[in-house]
Amino acid sequence: MASGNGSNFEALVSAIWNRRIHAEIALLVVNNPGCGAQQRADRLGIPWQLLNHRDYDSRTDLDRDLVERFRAADVEGIVMAGWMRIVTSELIRAFPDRLINIHPSLLPSFRGLDGVGQALRAGVRIAGCTIHLVTEDLDAGPILIQAAVPVLETDDHNSLSQRIHQQEHHILPIALMLAAQRWR
Ligand code: GRF
């Protein structure tokens, strides 16, 4: 699932192609027409479907449709790779322990929106990212893996985001392996 640039999505594809992990991406779902993730999927030859949230009456309706699509694609797990929508219990309960989220902070610090900005405003010297299972408490599900990065005196939102992003790309495939161990 992706809403934006899709660099984490592509990192996962690369990890599979480079045989760092054994997996198959059955389907990419995007909610923003023409977003970077969709363009990357076209380039990489990965099937994608557009579920535009603007076409649904409620978050629950969107999530119900997501569940249907994922069941039809027979997926074992789902990665929210920059899905900029709050998901409802409709999706979370349909895939317990199988829904994975990337959050750009060292949870449990800086839940919610703009983890990077929150870290900068708090003046922390170490920031990072967390990949966790999604539960009904926002950004509070079981942690699979984290990576830390330094916050430099010279950092702004952009430079710190980039450093965190690189770590996301590195740990996402590992997180997926760790999650899959729970599914056996
Ligand atoms: C990442 O920063 C992730 O932490 C957040 O959304 C962003 C997605 O980036 N959940 P990208 O679209 O994978 O480049």
Side-chain angles (χ1 to χ4, degrees):
M1 298 164 67
S3 301
N5 178 21
S7 67
N8 279 285
F9 159 67
E10 184 158 357
L12 207 47
V13 175
S14 299
I16 294 168
W17 287 1
N18 296 333
R19 297 174 189 272
R20 282 179 58 212
I21 58 167
H22 180 67
E24 181 192 344
I25 300 187
L27 175 64
L28 170 75
V29 172
V30 299
N31 65 312
N32 287 320
C35 66
Q38 179 186 319
Q39 294 172 27
R40 289 175 197 258
D42 273 335
R43 173 163 52 77
L44 299 166
I46 307 279
W48 57 265
Q49 292 179 18
L50 170 68
L51 272 65
N52 189 332
H53 60 277
R54 300 160 191 89
D55 297 337
Y56 296 81
D57 288 336
S58 67
R59 291 184 195 279
T60 307
D61 285 353
L62 169 64
D63 285 2
R64 202 168 284 142
D65 201 0
L66 282 165
V67 171
E68 256 180 49
R69 309 292 177 115
F70 291 138
R71 290 214 168 117
D74 201 21
V75 302
E76 282 181 86
I78 303 161
V79 180
M80 292 167 51
W83 183 253
M84 306 314 263
R85 313 284 310 163
I86 291 182
V87 291
T88 67
S89 53
E90 197 72 27
L91 179 64
I92 298 167
R93 288 187 193 163
F95 295 99
D97 262 10
R98 287 168 186 266
L99 189 58
I100 295 165
N101 184 45
I102 310 166
H103 184 77
S105 82
L106 289 174
L107 291 172
S109 292
F110 314 133
R111 291 178 179 150
L113 281 180
D114 193 18
V116 177
Q118 290 188 59
L120 281 170
R121 285 190 291 278
V124 295
R125 292 287 128 213
I126 295 176
C129 46
T130 303
I131 304 192
H132 65 96
L133 296 173
V134 177
T135 60
E136 292 183 56
D137 296 327
L138 184 68
D139 297 330
I143 291 172
L144 292 166
I145 189 169
Q146 295 181 297
V149 302
V151 182
L152 307 180
E153 294 289 346
T154 50
D155 267 335
D156 57 17
H157 198 283
N158 188 38
S159 60
L160 182 56
S161 295
Q162 279 184 23
R163 195 172 307 120
I164 291 173
H165 245 97
Q166 284 177 357
Q167 290 305 315
E168 292 177 353
H169 300 163
H170 180 61
I171 65 175
L172 178 56
I174 304 169
L176 194 57
M177 272 194 300
L178 292 170
Q181 286 170 6
R182 295 169 169 248
W183 304 338
R184 293 204 187 108

